[in-house]
């Protein structure tokens, strides 16, 4: 945690979670949080979907929805930053309050509903992004739309030339009907149209545009098998596992534990990691995995990698622990790689997926 953060943290904790988030984001945007990133150990370098990542650790979508603080987020040490979710037209999202802290678990529940300034505002900022930082755009649909898949394809078309990869979000629990696009013939249609939109961008720009897909942790076992079969026929470059969960573990405490929305933070860690390991064993090796959900330490990030993740992302723990968490994870991951005897982080990916996925099968 930087000196500025140490002074501001007690004040931010007195604010509501959304107000605190916006204030922190504006501080980053204004350059008030000093660069604290230390160059990651070379053993952490990894290539995913043709992109060379100096570190597997990235910031998940949701923190910087409108691409306001991208340069600062790179300076504090993230290996990549995913902005969004971005919707074609500006929208305000769901009524407030819509973010709730569960302090005892360092978890959160949100039902934001894709508040977004829209494609044009985000595109204007991404046009000025630092070229040395890997940036992805997480794209979704407007709440009121005649064709959600067309909305997503429009996002790919508009932002694809400005970022290093695009991630299709069909897994938020806060937009009615969105999760229906993860399964069955709807998924086939989604994959066909988003892959075509990506191909069109590649032709226009003359460079590759990896396509990622972000899924929910609440899929049933038959739905997971269906997903894997359909992705084998129409593959994406990477699968982000996972978004927030609508489950409410009995261990949750606090007055907000039953609020509607998506739960994030440590309670999400085990189910999302088990699903990650299952998919690592089910999907073609060409589809790489991004481990998202409940990472709050280097040990958590390492378990995601052993389960099958080539990249990891966090958000909720960053809100609770601040910028110092980034360097702690980088140092810890480098230690884990060397202690494991692996020559690189890439060599450790999936080494315990069978064990972890068996836990998923028996859960």
């Amino acid at each position: 945690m930087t000196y500025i953060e140490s002074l501001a943290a007690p004040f931010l904790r007195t604010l509501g979670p959304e107000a605190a988030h916006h204030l922190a984001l504006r501080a980053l945007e204004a350059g008030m949080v000093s660069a604290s990133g230390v160059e990651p150990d070379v053993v952490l370098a990894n290539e995913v979907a043709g992109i060379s990542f100096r570190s597997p650790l990235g910031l998940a979508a949701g923190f910087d929805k409108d691409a306001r603080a991208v340069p600062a987020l790179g300076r504090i040490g993230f290996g990549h930053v995913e902005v969004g979710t971005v919707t074609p037209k500006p929208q305000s999202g769901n009524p407030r309050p819509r973010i709730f802290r569960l302090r005892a678990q360092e978890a959160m529940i949100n039902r934001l509903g894709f508040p977004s300034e829209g494609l044009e505002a985000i595109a204007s900022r991404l046009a000025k992004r630092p070229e040395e930082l890997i940036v992805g755009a997480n794209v979704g649909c407007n709440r009121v739309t005649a064709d959600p898949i067309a909305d997503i394809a429009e996002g790919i078309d508009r932002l694809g030339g400005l970022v290093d990869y695009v991630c299709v979000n069909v897994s938020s629990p806060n937009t009615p009907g969105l999760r229906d696009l993860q399964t069955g013939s709807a998924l086939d249609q989604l994959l066909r149209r988003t892959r075509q939109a990506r191909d069109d961008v590649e032709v226009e720009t003359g460079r590759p545009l990896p396509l990622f897909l972000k899924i929910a942790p609440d899929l049933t076992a038959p739905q997971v098998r269906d997903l894997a079969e359909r992705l084998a026929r129409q593959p994406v470059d990477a699968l982000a596992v996972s978004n927030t969960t609508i489950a409410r573990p009995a261990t949750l405490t606090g007055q907000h534990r039953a609020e509607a929305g998506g739960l994030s933070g440590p309670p999400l860690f085990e189910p999302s990691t088990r699903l990650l390991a299952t998919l690592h064993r089910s999907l073609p090796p060409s589809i790489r995995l991004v481990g998202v959900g409940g990472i709050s330490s280097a040990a958590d990030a390492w378990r995601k990698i052993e389960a099958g993740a080539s990249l990891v992302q966090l958000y909720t723990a960053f809100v609770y622990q601040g910028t110092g968490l980034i360097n702690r994870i980088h140092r810890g991951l480098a230690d884990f790689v060397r202690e494991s005897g692996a020559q690189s982080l890439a060599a450790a990916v999936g080494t315990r997926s069978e064990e972890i996925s068996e836990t998923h099968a028996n859960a």
Side-chain angles (χ1 to χ4, degrees), residues 53-178:
F53 291 82
R54 66 192 181 101
S55 153
L57 180 63
L59 180 63
F63 184 86
D64 191 4
K65 291 180 176 294
D66 296 315
R68 288 186 167 276
V70 171
L73 291 167
R75 288 195 298 270
I76 62 175
F78 284 109
H80 67 282
V81 173
E82 191 169 305
V83 302
T85 297
V86 187
T87 59
K89 298 176 183 177
Q91 63 178 29
S92 59
N94 291 326
R96 303 185 188 195
R98 52 193 183 176
I99 306 177
F100 306 90
R101 299 184 183 107
L102 302 178
R103 294 185 186 276
Q105 291 84 33
E106 292 198 351
M108 299 180 76
I109 293 172
N110 92 79
R111 51 172 179 261
L112 286 163
F114 290 170
S116 174
E117 293 184 16
L119 284 172
E120 293 310 314
I122 280 71
S124 68
R125 296 187 187 112
L126 289 175
K128 297 175 284 189
R129 53 162 280 212
E131 289 298 321
E132 68 276 8
L133 176 65
I134 296 169
V135 178
N138 186 291
V139 295
C141 64
N142 282 108
R143 185 182 183 90
V144 178
T145 178
D147 188 343
I149 297 178
D151 277 18
I152 292 167
E154 183 180 352
I156 295 171
D157 177 69
R158 184 66 183 92
L159 301 182
L162 302 171
V163 293
D164 299 290
Y165 71 88
V166 289
C167 184
V168 173
N169 186 352
V170 290
S171 50
S172 168
N174 301 315
T175 296
L178 183 67

Side-chain angles (χ1 to χ4, degrees), residues 154-336:
E154 183 180 352
I156 295 171
D157 177 69
R158 184 66 183 92
L159 301 182
L162 302 171
V163 293
D164 299 290
Y165 71 88
V166 289
C167 184
V168 173
N169 186 352
V170 290
S171 50
S172 168
N174 301 315
T175 296
L178 183 67
R179 287 187 168 193
D180 295 342
L181 299 177
Q182 297 176 107
T183 57
S185 59
L187 176 60
D188 285 336
Q189 184 181 6
L190 173 81
L191 293 170
R192 182 169 59 252
R193 291 173 69 180
T194 54
R195 281 157 48 96
Q196 183 60 59
R198 183 272 308 273
D199 293 348
D200 291 345
V201 173
E202 290 184 334
V203 169
E204 182 180 345
T205 62
R207 65 177 181 85
L209 177 65
L211 178 65
F212 292 17
L213 177 68
K214 191 168 189 175
I215 64 166
D218 305 309
L219 297 171
T220 64
Q223 287 175 327
V224 171
R225 289 193 293 271
D226 178 74
L227 173 76
E229 290 169 2
R230 294 176 192 276
L231 284 173
R233 295 193 294 269
Q234 294 192 86
V236 293
D237 294 286
L239 196 65
V241 186
S242 67
N243 213 315
T244 57
T245 181
I246 58 174
R248 294 294 182 268
T251 53
L252 286 184
T253 61
Q255 63 175 323
H256 300 303
R257 63 186 182 278
E259 290 286 350
L263 172 67
S264 63
L268 178 59
F269 180 77
E270 284 299 332
S272 63
T273 306
R274 292 194 298 266
L275 177 58
L276 175 73
T278 297
L279 286 164
H280 179 264
R281 297 180 58 76
S282 305
L283 292 170
S286 59
I287 300 178
R288 309 295 283 277
L289 298 176
V290 184
V292 196
I295 295 172
S296 56
S297 66
D300 292 340
W302 180 244
R303 184 168 169 84
K304 295 279 190 188
I305 290 161
E306 290 182 312
S310 296
L311 299 172
V312 294
Q313 294 178 344
L314 53 79
Y315 171 3
T316 302
F318 178 54
V319 172
Y320 278 101
Q321 298 186 41
T323 60
L325 177 62
I326 303 168
N327 287 337
R328 290 197 297 274
I329 289 179
H330 279 150
R331 289 193 299 268
L333 277 180
D335 290 342
F336 278 121

